[in-house]
């Protein structure tokens, strides 16, 4: 009978000098795990909205839907929270039905917005919305208790995890993986700090799952992010629309002001029209 080596694996991973990019050591550690790893599955049902953000550049062509989707894999040259180099994922934030929780746009803004992260006074972003048209099956990475402001969905999933898996020794491994997803101490040119969460996501997506769902680190767990593999994104998401927005920071307040929204032209490409009062039912 094989013995449980969970803590040995966790200690080994924790001792790695990630700045040496120890890919083989990480993969061999994952493969050497000899215990059941408990996971919580989460499904995005049909009709759910996923919001994605893109930095705006006036020289870019935003007439194609693909411009709003996942980055082509050959352009992804670094590790990210849930993706490895020369691979790619559809990153986005999901809407919440809890009025007090941040909306998906604010989660996106916290992840990519310079107004939020760097305090610049103004920027322009493109926000796109995607509708789930087939159920998307994800692994929920929610075990970390390092988030200072976890949203209700995180708390419910954590409660479910503790209830059903309190006796599983593999919990130590998943708790460690969750701590890697929750890392905040990552700066420019430190993509190696994403290696463990990124390779775990790759293994998940090579299996039966469409991706992972995890709390937004940038807003303390108050919102939820998803990383969906390209094939699943192509088959299970439908482009709903996009808006060009000015993001303005005044003191501690950040405002998102829509300027233009997309519409489909006769040739199937995207056109843009200015926002009017009628869009907001203002009389």
């Amino acid at each position: 009978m094989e013995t449980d080596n969970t803590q040995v694996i966790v200690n080994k991973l924790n001792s790695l000098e990630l700045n040496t990019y120890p890919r083989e050591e990480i993969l061999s550690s994952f493969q050497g795990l000899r215990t059941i790893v408990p996971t919580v599955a989460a499904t995005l049902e049909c009709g759910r909205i996923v919001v994605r953000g893109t930095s705006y550049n006036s020289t870019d062509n935003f007439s194609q839907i693909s411009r709003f989707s996942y980055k082509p894999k050959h352009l992804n040259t670094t590790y990210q929270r849930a993706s490895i180099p020369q691979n790619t994922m559809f990153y986005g934030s999901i809407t919440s039905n809890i009025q007090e929780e941040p909306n998906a746009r604010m989660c996106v803004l916290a992840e990519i917005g310079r107004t939020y992260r760097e305090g610049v006074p103004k920027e322009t972003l493109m926000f796109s919305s995607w509708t789930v048209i087939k159920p998307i099956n994800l692994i929920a990475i929610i075990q970390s208790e390092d988030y200072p402001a976890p949203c209700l969905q995180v708390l419910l999933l954590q409660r479910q995890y503790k209830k059903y898996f309190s006796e599983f020794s593999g919990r130590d491994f998943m708790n460690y993986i969750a701590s890697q997803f929750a890392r905040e101490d990552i700066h420019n040119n430190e993509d190696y700090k994403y290696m463990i969460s990124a390779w775990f996501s790759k293994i998940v997506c090579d299996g039966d799952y469409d991706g992972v769902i995890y709390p937004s680190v940038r807003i303390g767990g108050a919102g939820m992010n998803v990383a969906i593999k390209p094939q699943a994104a192509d088959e299970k998401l439908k482009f709903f629309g996009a808006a060009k927005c000015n993001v303005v920071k005044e003191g501690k307040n950040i405002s998102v002001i829509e300027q233009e929204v997309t519409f489909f032209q006769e040739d199937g490409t995207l056109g843009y029209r200015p926002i009017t009062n009628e869009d907001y039912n203002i009389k």
Side-chain angles (χ1 to χ4, degrees):
M1 180 178 178
E2 292 182 328
T3 59
D4 171 36
N5 64 341
T6 302
Q7 196 56 54
V8 173
I9 295 296
V10 170
N11 290 342
K12 180 179 178 181
L13 289 169
N14 206 32
S15 68
L16 293 175
E17 295 182 8
L18 294 180
N19 60 352
T20 65
Y21 292 88
R23 172 181 177 273
E24 295 304 324
E25 290 89 337
I26 292 172
L27 292 178
S28 66
S29 295
F30 287 169
Q31 292 166 359
L33 196 65
R34 298 195 300 266
T35 189
I36 296 174
V37 177
T39 55
V40 172
T43 302
L44 297 186
E45 301 291 354
C46 295
R48 195 71 182 267
I49 298 295
V50 180
V51 176
R52 182 171 164 80
T54 308
S55 297
Y56 176 79
N57 188 319
S58 60
T59 62
D60 287 344
N61 181 3
F62 285 96
S63 64
Q64 302 294 324
I65 293 176
S66 59
R67 182 63 181 81
F68 296 97
S69 189
Y70 50 82
K71 182 188 294 186
K73 66 179 182 179
H74 68 277
L75 296 179
N76 187 38
T77 59
T78 62
Y79 284 97
Q80 297 175 29
R81 204 171 297 271
S83 55
I84 64 173
Q86 304 305 312
N87 210 310
T88 191
M89 294 285 262
F90 183 103
Y91 286 96
S93 296
I94 59 172
T95 52
S96 172
N97 58 3
I98 308 298
Q99 185 175 359
E100 292 78 14
E101 293 180 355
N103 62 40
R105 279 190 178 180
M106 292 308 296
C107 292
V108 171
L109 180 59
E111 296 289 341
I112 71 168
R114 295 182 63 214
T115 45
Y116 188 96
R117 299 181 62 178
E118 302 172 24
V120 300
K122 184 178 180 180
E123 65 182 325
T124 302
L125 297 176
M126 305 293 288
F127 290 98
S128 57
S129 297
W130 302 74
T131 305
V132 177
I133 57 174
K134 294 181 180 179
I136 298 176
N137 301 311
L138 307 169
I139 288 289
I141 313 295
I142 40 73
Q143 297 87 336
S144 175
E145 297 184 0
D146 294 334
Y147 301 106
C151 63
L152 181 60
Q153 185 174 6
V154 172
L155 293 173
L156 290 174
L157 288 171
Q158 286 180 342
R159 206 169 298 144
Q160 179 183 355
Y161 188 82
K162 291 176 181 178
K163 177 180 178 180
Y164 291 106
F165 300 124
S166 60
E167 303 301 321
F168 279 72
S169 59
R171 270 187 63 187
D172 292 338
F173 175 78
M174 281 308 301
N175 290 346
Y176 177 73
I177 293 297
S179 73
Q180 296 301 299
F181 272 88
R183 292 191 71 161
E184 291 188 83
D185 61 330
I186 301 174
H187 307 288
N188 292 336
N189 302 317
E190 291 183 335
D191 71 311
Y192 52 83
K193 292 184 177 180
Y194 289 130
M195 287 189 72
I196 293 173
S197 62
W199 277 110
F200 178 83
S201 301
K202 175 69 164 58
I203 291 169
V204 165
C205 290
D206 284 345
D208 297 329
Y209 288 93
D210 296 321
V212 295
I213 180 171
Y214 54 96
S216 171
V217 174
R218 304 296 180 186
I219 55 173
M224 296 291 283
N225 290 334
V226 293
I228 301 168
K229 63 185 179 184
Q231 180 182 354
D234 291 342
E235 295 176 356
K236 300 182 177 184
L237 288 172
K238 182 179 180 181
F239 178 80
F240 180 78
K244 174 185 172 184
C245 301
N246 284 340
V247 183
V248 180
K249 180 177 176 62
E250 297 178 343
K252 294 183 179 180
N253 297 320
I254 297 179
S255 301
V256 178
I257 306 164
E258 291 188 348
Q259 300 297 309
E260 296 178 327
V261 291
T262 55
F263 67 92
F264 285 99
Q265 302 184 112
E266 290 184 3
D267 62 359
T269 62
L270 298 174
Y272 291 82
R273 64 170 180 79
I275 289 289
T276 65
N277 287 346
E278 284 71 21
D279 290 304
Y280 298 105
N281 296 317
I282 297 176
K283 303 300 183 182

